[in-house]
Amino acid sequence: MKYVAAMTFLALLALPGAARAQEEPKPEPAPQTPQPPQTVEERLDELDQKIRVLDRKNELDKEAAAEKAKTAGQAAAGKDGFSLKSADGNFVLKLRGYTHFDGRFFQSDDQRPATDTFTLRRVRPILEGTVYKIFDFRIMPDFGGGQTVLQDAYLEARFNPAFRVRAGKFKPPVGLERLQSATEILFVERAFPTNLVPNRDLGIQLSGDVAGGIATWAVGVFNGVPDGGSADGDTNDDKDYAARIFFQPFVTGTGPFKNLGFGVAGSTGKQEGTVAAPNLPSFRTPGQQTFFSYRSDGTAPNTVIASGDRTRLSPQAYLYTGPFGLLAEYVTSKQAVRRGTVERDLENRAWQVAASWVLSGGEPTYRSVNPKRFFDPAAGTWGAFEIAARYHKQEIDEAAFPFFANLASSASEAEAWAVGFNWYFNRNLRLMFDYEDTSFTGGSNVSDGGDREDEKIFFSRFQIAF
Amino acid sequence: MRTRFALPLLTLLLVAGPAAAQVKLLNVSYDPTRELYQDFNAAFARYWKAKSGQTVTVQQSHGGSGKQARSVIDGLEADVVTLALAYDVDAVANSGLIPKNWQTRLPNNSAPYTSTIVFLVRKGNPKKIRDWDDLTRPGVAVVTPNPKTSGGARWNYLAAWGYALRKFNNDPAKAQDFVKRIFKNVPVLDTGARGATVTFVERGIGDVLIAWENEALLSVKELGDKGEFQIVAPSLSILAEPPVAVVDKVAAKHKTVQVATAYLQYLYTPEGQEIAAKHYYRPRNKDVAAKYGQQFPKVTLFTIDEAFGGWTRAQKTHFADGGVFDQIYGAGL
């Protein structure tokens, strides 16, 4: 076939009518050896050509490098972690994480001795990224306390800023302080309102920012978890519905109320428990000691279980202006419970007010302090310093006692005040020192005075986050 | 009820009316056609406005032909492609964006104009370049782009190969040695035809540029007053047939099939042919060809089908990875 084509080609060229040649092909010239430059001018011309060729090759190399850079992925390492990114930005993989190395030192714990300890409160590597421009994912296990827990695992589609869809395991949109990352909270431990809102749950959430963040909305359907709880599955067919609307009316401006935010969140659903799995919460102090739990001895007559409707409501607000920060929230959680054949709706409440003042080196925000100058003694910069104080309280429904909870072992009220000092070395390192005093109503035998001994605790935390 | 719908309807008409009268096309083309399509697009916009009332805006994208085809395959939403060689349009067709029979949809195998390959030399032709043999001489610096990335360069290469086949009585080994000697004289291998022109014309490198005829004529015209360059027509060259095609799937998505088809058909009209000729492309229309015949040097031309059995075979034999060009250029040149 190749031969036929070639012969046809030669035949076509040989046809007199087809030939439009002006010249016949010339005989092959004898190979010649290039003559070396003879004159100074010829030598200069030769050198000039060599330089031009080198310049042009350099130019082409730069063009090729620039072209390659347009399509090559980028690897980056910095204060926000480590990342790989495609040239068009549509595919991103980030490796992030944080660790909390805590110290807890209990003071005057004669009645209820607690162990002073160092602990790895959180050890959380984070794998997150983006595929096809609008689909984000995040996977965050936690190895804190020597246990492995999957905290976050979700996929989110960002169709536009006002409409996102998230599915998987994550924080339902209820508690203001709960929705802060653990790396952003003001004190080592969150306040009592967080005891009454869900921690992490499996579900689907729609959310969005409207008008540049002036309004933020979220609604979702979740398996449903007890107050303060997390779960990786459901124990009944009923689901919880959660919603939150939050306003930052001045967020698009530059005035003193730019970081003023307020809103309301809530959830509603049904929760049924069993003797083996009562599906009711117990509540902890800032020192992570249990101060309230429902009656339970493994028998049906003496074990309190969840028995129907659960409703939470939480008005919430914050203000960060200049060096000053203020966060306040109130949570009420109403749950139907049953012991034996006796049912009751119990309503527990908690609230907190936390204030902070950045002494130097940065400004507070809901998303923590971003130091203006990083810790560098040689340069005379020390990062940012912040002092903080808070007051918070949790009240258990009076109707819980004595039938559903034992006042000799469970307190009906816990109120606490705390002061703290935070040193932000840079965006990645932070040192925290807190002192917190929690007093109780009830929770102890009458012979011991009836009220549980105050919890006085000194906290320290070394946080590294990237 | 009437007034309830009247206002929205009026609003819809006010918004949709102007939108319908506006249409945009993207023409993804190869390197040296910038000036041609600037003029052609303006002429077509006038024609289409008069015919349909629509205002058409044609955006242009230019680069190495193979690279442009790859961009379209990878998602660049071209309504039409006007590339350097049929193989590149075939590549787009193989991706499913264009039917495989695209060459049959317009006259002349969908190539509305042709060109060929000539030599551009410096004033006075100091190295006395007259034909392909002279490019093999030691001491003659030849500028041509890389056939792996440039459609124009593939035409250059095949033109030299075709000459060598004739010269050596269809002996492929001797033809390969002949082309190898030419590439031994190439000091810089640009990625595209326009880049090679820059190397030769603006950077002052080399003694001869193997170029598209239209590119060479344009260079002579632009620098004509200075008389810095002149064209040498070899005794034998190749008939280059740059093809055009509507990218059906993209045009359907953009709802531009009708205007995109009209755009390419307009290339075949006397007006379109005249614009092509003014930009030194050889027109298909006989009357226009006769009118502009003087500006084109007379060269004996062969086609790629005659000498190589078509683009697919030429591509596989010469330019595929490990093909003849890789053997030539990877052999320690």
Side-chain angles (χ1 to χ4, degrees):
Chain A
M1 192 66 186
K2 207 185 262 185
Y3 175 77
V4 172
M7 292 311 292
T8 308
F9 166 57
L10 289 172
L12 279 168
L13 291 177
L15 286 172
R20 283 170 282 160
Q22 300 302 295
E23 302 173 34
E24 289 299 315
K26 293 182 282 291
E28 185 182 14
Q32 298 169 27
T33 304
Q35 295 297 314
Q38 300 295 317
T39 66
V40 172
E41 192 174 309
E42 284 175 345
R43 288 178 186 171
L44 282 175
D45 282 348
E46 188 184 60
L47 283 173
D48 177 63
Q49 277 293 300
K50 285 183 176 174
I51 290 168
R52 284 172 188 264
V53 168
L54 286 172
D55 282 349
R56 181 61 174 157
K57 282 183 173 174
N58 188 35
E59 193 177 4
L60 293 175
D61 285 346
K62 285 180 180 172
E63 284 176 10
E67 194 64 27
K68 193 177 176 184
K70 287 181 191 170
T71 55
Q74 300 165 12
K79 57 185 181 297
D80 295 321
F82 308 92
S83 65
L84 297 172
K85 188 177 183 181
S86 65
D88 59 8
N90 288 345
F91 296 84
V92 181
L93 182 65
K94 291 180 184 172
L95 178 61
R96 299 175 54 230
Y98 59 90
T99 297
H100 287 161
F101 176 65
D102 289 6
R104 296 176 192 155
F105 305 96
F106 293 87
Q107 315 295 310
S108 308
D109 51 338
D110 303 325
Q111 192 184 93
R112 287 175 177 266
T115 306
D116 296 345
T117 184
F118 290 111
T119 183
L120 281 167
R121 176 78 165 88
R122 297 180 180 91
V123 181
R124 296 180 175 179
I126 303 170
L127 187 66
E128 62 185 15
T130 301
V131 293
Y132 292 98
K133 193 175 181 178
I134 65 167
F135 299 102
D136 296 337
F137 66 88
R138 176 183 167 101
I139 299 169
M140 184 178 76
D142 185 6
F143 303 110
Q147 295 181 322
T148 302
V149 177
L150 182 62
Q151 294 285 0
D152 288 335
Y154 62 78
L155 177 72
E156 181 168 80
R158 288 176 285 107
F159 295 106
N160 65 52
F163 185 69
R164 300 187 291 268
V165 181
R166 180 184 289 189
K169 186 180 183 184
F170 53 94
K171 296 176 180 177
V174 183
L176 181 63
E177 194 179 23
R178 170 56 73 193
L179 289 173
Q180 283 183 302
S181 165
T183 61
E184 299 164 346
I185 54 180
L186 191 58
F187 290 87
V188 168
E189 295 295 344
R190 291 183 172 91
F192 288 129
T194 298
N195 273 342
L196 297 182
V197 298
N199 183 349
R200 265 122 174 142
D201 201 357
L202 291 161
I204 299 169
Q205 173 182 286
L206 312 180
S207 66
D209 299 327
V210 180
I214 288 176
T216 301
W217 65 275
V219 296
V221 56
F222 299 89
N223 278 339
V225 291
D227 292 345
S230 293
D232 292 302
D234 207 349
T235 56
N236 58 58
D237 291 340
D238 295 315
K239 298 291 169 264
D240 273 19
Y241 302 92
R244 180 174 185 255
I245 181 82
F246 198 79
F247 299 97
Q248 294 176 277
F250 309 108
V251 72
T252 56
T254 56
F257 296 107
K258 176 181 172 64
N259 290 320
L260 167 68
F262 55 86
V264 64
S267 71
T268 183
K270 284 188 175 180
Q271 186 78 62
E272 302 289 345
T274 64
V275 173
N279 276 332
L280 288 173
S282 57
F283 301 125
R284 290 176 177 240
T285 66
Q288 301 304 294
Q289 308 297 307
T290 300
F291 74 88
F292 175 86
S293 56
Y294 290 96
R295 288 183 184 272
S296 174
D297 66 359
T299 65
N302 294 320
T303 298
V304 184
I305 62 173
S307 181
D309 293 345
R310 174 175 54 217
T311 307
R312 304 182 182 101
L313 188 66
S314 174
Q316 49 197 247
Y318 61 64
L319 171 66
Y320 297 92
T321 179
F324 177 70
L326 183 72
L327 182 147
E329 66 178 323
Y330 175 88
V331 180
T332 173
S333 174
K334 196 172 181 181
Q335 168 76 59
V337 302
R338 187 176 77 225
R339 178 184 169 192
T341 57
V342 180
E343 288 194 28
R344 194 72 179 257
D345 286 340
L346 299 180
E347 184 174 4
N348 302 324
R349 291 173 292 273
W351 56 272
Q352 71 155 323
V353 177
S356 61
W357 189 276
V358 177
L359 300 172
S360 66
E363 288 183 355
T365 69
Y366 177 66
R367 296 295 180 195
S368 188
V369 172
N370 190 6
K372 288 179 180 171
R373 287 179 291 277
F374 300 152
F375 178 75
D376 184 357
T381 56
W382 302 93
F385 301 99
E386 180 185 45
I387 55 173
R390 75 175 173 193
Y391 189 80
H392 54 129
K393 186 173 183 179
Q394 182 168 348
E395 298 169 347
I396 308 299
D397 195 319
E398 289 180 358
F401 301 98
F403 189 72
F404 297 102
N406 182 0
L407 196 58
S409 57
S410 292
S412 63
E413 284 186 9
E415 61 181 316
W417 59 268
V419 291
F421 173 76
N422 297 322
W423 184 357
Y424 301 86
F425 287 74
N426 47 50
R427 286 186 60 183
N428 302 113
L429 298 177
R430 178 182 178 188
L431 200 56
M432 305 173 74
F433 301 102
D434 295 348
Y435 179 79
E436 188 138 32
D437 186 318
T438 306
S439 58
F440 304 92
T441 300
S444 185
N445 290 321
V446 177
S447 58
D448 292 327
D451 293 338
R452 179 179 171 137
E453 180 184 49
D454 283 8
E455 177 184 272
K456 298 174 181 177
I457 184 169
F458 175 80
F459 292 99
S460 68
R461 169 169 290 171
F462 182 75
Q463 168 179 299
I464 181 163
F466 60 89
Chain B
M1 197 67 169
R2 269 185 201 164
T3 51
R4 192 170 152 193
F5 290 108
L7 190 60
L9 194 62
L10 185 62
T11 308
L12 192 67
L13 286 172
L14 285 170
V15 173
Q22 302 270 346
V23 62
K24 280 185 183 176
L25 291 180
L26 175 60
N27 175 5
V28 172
S29 194
Y30 62 108
D31 240 351
T33 57
R34 287 173 176 82
E35 296 80 7
L36 162 65
Y37 280 107
Q38 277 168 13
D39 281 0
F40 179 79
N41 293 343
F44 176 73
R46 288 192 295 274
Y47 160 78
W48 191 249
K49 180 79 175 173
K51 183 177 179 182
S52 70
Q54 274 188 324
T55 301
V56 61
T57 308
V58 186
Q59 295 174 318
Q60 300 174 218
S61 169
H62 297 273
S65 184
K67 194 173 143 192
Q68 293 290 83
R70 172 48 53 192
S71 297
V72 173
I73 293 166
D74 288 345
L76 179 61
E77 295 199 340
D79 299 280
V80 298
V81 287
T82 55
L83 297 175
L85 42 96
Y87 181 81
D88 291 332
V89 182
D90 279 340
V92 180
N94 288 336
S95 75
L97 293 170
I98 298 174
K100 294 275 173 76
N101 68 340
W102 63 270
Q103 265 188 310
T104 64
R105 298 194 297 182
L106 288 167
N108 305 111
N109 289 329
S110 292
Y113 43 77
T114 67
S115 189
T116 188
I117 301 303
V118 298
F119 305 148
L120 191 67
V121 299
R122 301 195 185 281
K123 180 183 178 184
N125 194 3
K127 291 291 174 81
K128 298 186 171 37
I129 309 292
R130 290 193 174 79
D131 212 339
W132 293 100
D133 301 283
D134 298 310
L135 308 192
T136 67
R137 288 198 330 246
V140 172
V142 180
V143 176
T144 182
N146 186 346
K148 301 283 277 190
T149 56
S150 163
R154 272 175 257 178
W155 288 113
N156 296 353
Y157 171 102
L158 294 175
W161 192 280
Y163 174 87
L165 278 180
R166 182 185 179 193
K167 178 181 175 70
F168 298 112
N169 200 25
N170 210 29
D171 183 335
K174 286 184 177 175
Q176 181 166 333
D177 180 64
F178 183 87
V179 175
K180 183 177 179 179
R181 278 192 280 150
I182 292 177
F183 275 90
K184 195 173 181 179
N185 285 344
V186 177
V188 179
L189 210 54
D190 284 274
T191 56
R194 183 53 61 92
T197 305
V198 169
T199 295
F200 184 75
V201 173
E202 295 181 22
R203 303 294 184 265
I205 293 169
D207 302 305
V208 54
L209 170 71
I210 311 177
W212 287 101
E213 180 182 59
N214 56 285
E215 190 81 339
L217 285 164
L218 190 66
S219 299
V220 169
K221 183 195 169 196
E222 285 185 350
L223 301 163
D225 292 343
K226 299 176 185 172
E228 291 182 7
F229 303 101
Q230 60 190 73
I231 288 174
V232 172
S235 62
L236 181 69
S237 194
I238 196 163
L239 178 67
E241 297 178 293
V244 300
V246 172
V247 184
D248 296 58
K249 286 206 171 169
V250 175
K253 178 182 168 187
H254 294 172
K255 297 183 172 53
T256 55
V257 172
Q258 187 188 8
V259 64
T261 304
Y263 178 76
L264 296 186
Q265 286 171 340
Y266 191 66
L267 282 165
Y268 290 87
T269 64
E271 295 78 16
Q273 292 282 289
E274 182 112 6
I275 292 167
K278 280 179 182 171
H279 287 275
Y280 309 110
Y281 290 86
R282 296 183 178 220
R284 296 284 195 181
N285 181 293
K286 284 181 182 172
D287 294 338
V288 180
K291 181 178 174 184
Y292 288 89
Q294 290 299 317
Q295 73 181 17
F296 299 110
K298 290 189 169 40
V299 187
T300 302
L301 301 174
F302 63 89
T303 70
I304 190 156
D305 289 341
E306 291 163 3
F308 299 96
W311 260 113
T312 303
R313 182 175 290 179
Q315 174 73 24
K316 187 179 175 187
T317 305
H318 293 274
F319 309 119
D321 289 343
V324 176
F325 178 73
D326 280 347
Q327 294 165 30
I328 287 174
Y329 204 71
L333 286 176

